[in-house]
Amino acid sequence: MALAANVLKWQIGQMVSKRLSREAGHRRKFLVIIDDTPECGRAVAYASRRAKNTGGALVLMFVIDTSDFQHFLGVGEIMRSEAEERARLALEKLATQVREKQGLEPELIVRAGETTEELQSLVEEDQDIAILVLAAASGKEGPGPLIQMLAGKSASFPIPVTVIPANLSDEDIDAVA
């Protein structure tokens, strides 16, 4: 019930909870939503460089869509287990790249549910998360569903959102991060 109240606050434009990232003992965290899209790596590249350059931290979150698991109990559990394994492998692959290239140890989070709800919940729970980093898709379908959703709510989203253009090279990202 508390989450529903917090989601309502978020939707009507109130800061969900005070950000603590600038207070003593806290570090600003850059959050990246990990998925199977090719542009996801661009968001990780920018966020990891930005975190390193500013003394911040990096959080990588993979949200497993549970709407596909409404099958018979046994099949649904197998599907969930396989999805969790894919999520962990995807996170670990990106975390290895971040460790090697930036020397950062990212925080890895796997959640199950609807992406926007899990995003909202994590931002509420972790008051050090200060910036959400997303990368735009380069296809004709538009920048991507999460960016489209947030663009419609940008006036009420509780933290700043940085959108990385799909065409930025590593050199371009280095120059702006």
Side-chain angles (χ1 to χ4, degrees):
M1 196 55 130
L3 178 59
N6 288 331
V7 170
L8 180 60
K9 284 182 187 177
W10 174 52
Q11 290 174 341
I12 60 174
Q14 297 176 3
M15 177 63 90
V16 175
S17 60
K18 181 182 177 195
R19 302 290 94 193
L20 301 176
S21 59
R22 295 291 188 184
E23 294 186 11
H26 295 269
R27 291 191 324 170
R28 178 171 54 172
K29 292 181 179 180
F30 294 81
L31 171 62
V32 181
I33 306 299
I34 304 304
D35 55 25
D36 298 326
T37 61
E39 60 270 10
C40 175
R42 307 312 310 142
V44 172
Y46 175 85
S48 63
R49 286 169 175 83
R50 189 80 178 120
K52 180 180 179 183
N53 291 343
T54 63
L58 178 65
V59 178
L60 305 177
M61 180 173 78
F62 194 110
V63 180
I64 299 167
D65 181 3
T66 57
S67 64
D68 294 335
F69 304 147
Q70 304 304 320
H71 301 282
F72 296 106
L73 183 59
V75 174
E77 286 304 313
I78 291 170
M79 291 174 68
R80 181 184 307 270
S81 177
E82 290 172 351
E84 287 174 4
E85 181 63 21
R86 279 192 310 274
R88 295 213 181 278
L89 287 172
L91 287 171
E92 191 51 47
K93 179 182 176 185
L94 289 168
T96 297
Q97 292 172 3
V98 169
R99 287 181 202 111
E100 290 172 358
K101 292 180 181 178
Q102 303 302 326
L104 292 175
E105 184 61 44
E107 182 178 344
L108 307 179
I109 298 172
V110 176
R111 297 271 181 113
E114 198 276 320
T115 301
T116 55
E117 290 176 12
E118 294 304 322
L119 171 60
Q120 169 60 27
S121 178
L122 182 61
V123 169
E124 174 62 26
E125 293 165 17
D126 189 341
Q127 293 174 289
D128 289 341
I129 294 175
I131 298 173
L132 172 64
V133 179
L134 302 171
S138 59
K140 295 177 183 176
E141 302 81 36
L146 191 55
I147 293 173
Q148 290 173 339
M149 185 281 303
L150 290 174
K153 297 178 188 266
S154 62
S156 63
F157 194 68
I159 59 174
V161 178
T162 299
V163 178
I164 308 306
N167 63 342
L168 286 187
S169 68
D170 284 344
E171 294 78 26
D172 293 334
I173 288 174
D174 281 338
V176 298

